[in-house]
Amino acid sequence: MAATISSKNKIALSAVCLSAIMLGLEITSIPSILPTLENMLPAEFRQLQWIMNAYTLAMCSCLVAMGALADRFGRKRIFLAGITVFGIASLICGMASSASVLIGARFLQGASAAAMLSCQVAVLSHQFRDGPERGVAFGWWGIMFGLGLGFGPIIGGVILALLSWHWVFLIHVVIAVVTVFAARMGVVESGDPHVVKIDLGGIITLPIAVFGFVYLITQGHEISLVSGTGQEIIAISIASLLLFIIIELKSQRPIFDFKAFRIRNFSVALLGASGMNFSFWPFVIYFPLYLQSVLGYSSVVAGLIVLAYTLPTIVVPPYAERLLQNRGPGFIIPVGLFTIAIGFAVLHVTISSGYASWLTLLPGCLIAGVGLGLTNTPVTNTSTGSLPPERAGMASGMEFSARMISLAVNIAVMGFVLLSGVSAELVHSVNVDSLASVANTIAAGNFNAELLDGVNVAIAHHAFVNGISWVTLYGTLAPAILGLLARLISQKKSSKHVATS
């Protein structure tokens, strides 16, 4: 089947896959070097949070806008610009001598990553129109994205051990150079011929709204919602969102077409995009803490267990694409979300039982990974395939905005759930004055006796287990509910296209 792809399209697919690997690596390889950055830069705990959040915030804020710019000025042009800026930003990250410089460069990385991500799918949608060929292309894209995400923790740890933390960023400079050459040779320029002017109002107001809301969620423990600063951010974010909705409803060529939700398959795809990031990917942030702090595994062993968690996302996509062609998105996307929920249910039972080990955790990890693999590429293929080809950039921007906003929100939500579970277990063991401080220490995976304010280490371990069991319960319920909603929506009659005028 792959032999039917032309040479030019193979080169284009290579460029898309290389850029996907970069994006995947950049998301999951950075946590492994945070302790080193804390000592080497040096960086405070709050700065370490920003080193992680800056990338996600910038990507969330810019995705839809980048998709709109790609439709207007050309997807190849914006794709190449995104790769180039990502390489430059990675170079700045690798040469950073202070936390503030690294945080600024991470913002630049996130914005350029949004350009790459929104164009990846638009390029595939334009150059791979036939069903079988399209399935192969999206299957490979899913595999490469999964490789970057799945191997990120191990690759980050290996680079740190063999070279230095700088090369976790500098490796992207090398990959970016190769990707630029491949994109110039293989990617065919495309865009939306109906776009005659830029939706400047939408491009400005949506990023402000998204940035404000995500900032409040990720930094809510530092900014009180009832404080002057908190209320100002809320007011600006709500006003920007309302203004964005008004602008988009009146625009002839909106960057966020609310009429797209009339297409049931598109709505199902966005529910799938959100559902994956309500459970699977946010858990990658907290799972290694449990493996190392509670079960006592080394960083290498913990990385291998996380790899087992993500490995099915690399293997399953080609089969998911076949099921998508045979059964449709209304079947495969809900099944994928339900499978993620089953995997997390198994993890929840295993962790709560007190008999967790790498062997007993493995079934839940594999089942959840299979569910992600069944959902990931069908979501993208469906979202772009449900709309006219000239609107692929807009569709891609909407879908990946749903992904990244859900990811940013649920990293914060899972952290809150973890902390709540820890606090609930400690309430009878710690005095009221020190409960919050000790709970935060334990939730961070720190069992240093000097910081536990007299709490027995065994009790602290048990509290963390309670917290992580709450997290896996959340990871079970969220995709199950969204999967059920996606199934109900898919059973209704779908419109065929969004109006193109």
Side-chain angles (χ1 to χ4, degrees):
M1 191 177 292
T4 62
I5 301 178
S6 68
S7 297
K8 190 176 186 69
N9 279 2
K10 286 180 181 178
I11 297 174
L13 180 59
S14 299
V16 170
C17 287
L18 284 172
S19 65
I21 289 174
M22 284 194 290
L23 293 178
L25 285 175
E26 197 60 24
I27 292 172
T28 58
S29 65
I30 304 306
S32 63
I33 67 170
L34 289 181
T36 302
L37 295 178
E38 184 177 10
N39 297 321
M40 298 295 292
L41 283 176
E44 300 174 351
F45 178 70
R46 184 180 301 179
Q47 291 174 318
L48 293 175
Q49 286 183 311
W50 270 110
I51 289 171
M52 286 298 299
N53 290 339
Y55 184 84
T56 306
L57 276 170
M59 186 182 289
C60 288
S61 302
C62 297
L63 267 169
V64 171
M66 289 299 178
L69 291 174
D71 284 344
R72 172 63 179 86
F73 294 109
R75 290 144 190 173
K76 180 178 181 178
R77 184 177 299 172
I78 299 299
F79 187 47
L80 285 169
I83 299 167
T84 302
V85 175
F86 191 87
I88 294 171
S90 299
L91 180 63
I92 298 172
C93 286
M95 298 179 67
S97 58
S98 69
S100 57
V101 172
L102 181 55
I103 291 168
R106 288 283 285 168
F107 268 106
L108 188 59
Q109 268 193 323
S112 56
M116 287 197 295
L117 194 54
S118 62
C119 291
Q120 284 173 5
V121 180
V123 167
L124 293 182
S125 296
H126 177 75
Q127 291 193 223
F128 297 89
R129 302 287 185 90
D130 298 331
E133 184 180 275
R134 184 183 178 92
V136 170
F138 274 95
W140 274 109
W141 171 79
I143 289 172
M144 293 300 111
F145 209 162
L147 278 172
L149 290 167
F151 282 84
I154 291 180
I155 291 176
V158 170
I159 292 176
L160 183 63
L162 297 180
L163 299 170
S164 70
W165 69 264
H166 305 82
W167 281 98
V168 175
F169 296 105
L170 293 177
I171 190 174
H172 297 300
V173 180
V174 179
I175 300 175
V177 171
V178 177
T179 308
V180 165
F181 280 105
R184 289 179 64 89
M185 293 174 58
V187 175
V188 176
E189 187 61 278
S190 63
D192 186 348
H194 299 284
V195 176
V196 294
K197 63 178 182 179
I198 301 175
D199 181 7
L200 189 60
I203 288 177
I204 293 174
T205 53
L206 182 61
I208 292 174
V210 171
F211 184 92
F213 287 126
V214 175
Y215 179 83
L216 281 175
I217 293 170
T218 56
Q219 305 297 316
H221 59 288
E222 298 176 6
I223 300 176
S224 173
L225 297 182
V226 297
S227 67
T229 301
Q231 290 180 343
E232 288 175 2
I233 295 175
I234 291 173
I236 293 172
S237 300
I238 292 176
S240 298
L241 180 60
L242 293 175
L243 187 57
F244 171 75
I245 293 173
I246 293 171
I247 291 171
E248 297 309 290
L249 289 174
K250 292 184 176 181
S251 175
Q252 291 186 343
R253 301 297 293 178
I255 64 170
F256 196 100
D257 196 341
F258 289 97
K259 286 182 277 187
F261 291 106
R262 297 176 185 173
I263 300 175
R264 302 295 177 180
N265 282 348
F266 185 80
S267 297
V268 168
L270 258 61
L271 283 171
S274 300
M276 294 184 295
N277 289 317
F278 266 73
S279 57
F280 191 91
W281 290 122
F283 191 59
V284 172
I285 305 296
Y286 302 101
F287 196 27
L289 291 177
Y290 169 73
L291 295 172
Q292 294 181 61
S293 300
V294 176
L295 299 187
Y297 291 123
S298 67
S299 58
V300 174
V301 174
L304 290 172
I305 296 172
V306 174
L307 179 60
Y309 177 71
T310 58
L311 192 61
T313 70
I314 303 169
V315 178
V316 174
Y319 302 99
E321 287 297 325
R322 293 178 192 173
L323 285 171
L324 176 64
Q325 292 181 34
N326 294 332
R327 301 295 298 272
F331 171 82
I332 187 61
I333 291 175
V335 165
L337 293 178
F338 291 144
T339 306
I340 293 174
I342 293 171
F344 269 84
V346 174
L347 286 173
H348 175 72
V349 171
T350 302
I351 291 171
S352 301
S353 70
Y355 294 99
S357 67
W358 72 267
L359 187 60
T360 57
L361 290 169
L362 191 60
C365 290
L366 293 176
I367 294 170
V370 168
L372 193 282
L374 290 173
T375 311
N376 192 23
T377 55
V379 161
T380 301
N381 202 340
T382 301
S383 65
T384 53
S386 299
L387 273 64
E390 66 270 15
R391 298 296 275 160
M394 185 273 296
S396 175
M398 290 177 69
E399 182 223 328
F400 278 101
S401 290
R403 287 183 187 237
M404 298 310 299
I405 292 171
S406 298
L407 178 61
V409 168
N410 282 283
I411 287 175
V413 170
M414 276 195 175
F416 174 77
V417 172
L418 174 63
L419 185 60
S420 299
V422 171
S423 299
E425 188 65 27
L426 289 176
V427 70
H428 301 298
S429 305
V430 183
N431 64 68
V432 176
D433 292 336
S434 62
L435 176 61
S437 174
V438 173
N440 274 287
T441 300
I442 295 173
N446 191 340
F447 297 105
N448 188 329
E450 296 179 358
L451 300 176
L452 295 179
D453 198 20
V455 175
N456 185 280
V457 174
I459 294 176
H461 275 225
H462 190 66
F464 191 95
V465 170
N466 189 62
I468 207 72
S469 70
W470 282 28
V471 168
T472 52
L473 180 60
Y474 174 80
T476 300
L477 296 175
I481 293 171
L482 291 175
L484 179 61
L485 184 58
R487 182 59 182 167
L488 292 174
I489 290 176
S490 69
Q491 291 177 338
K492 297 181 181 179
K493 188 175 180 180
S494 173
S495 303
K496 290 186 178 181
H497 292 295
V498 174
T500 58
S501 58

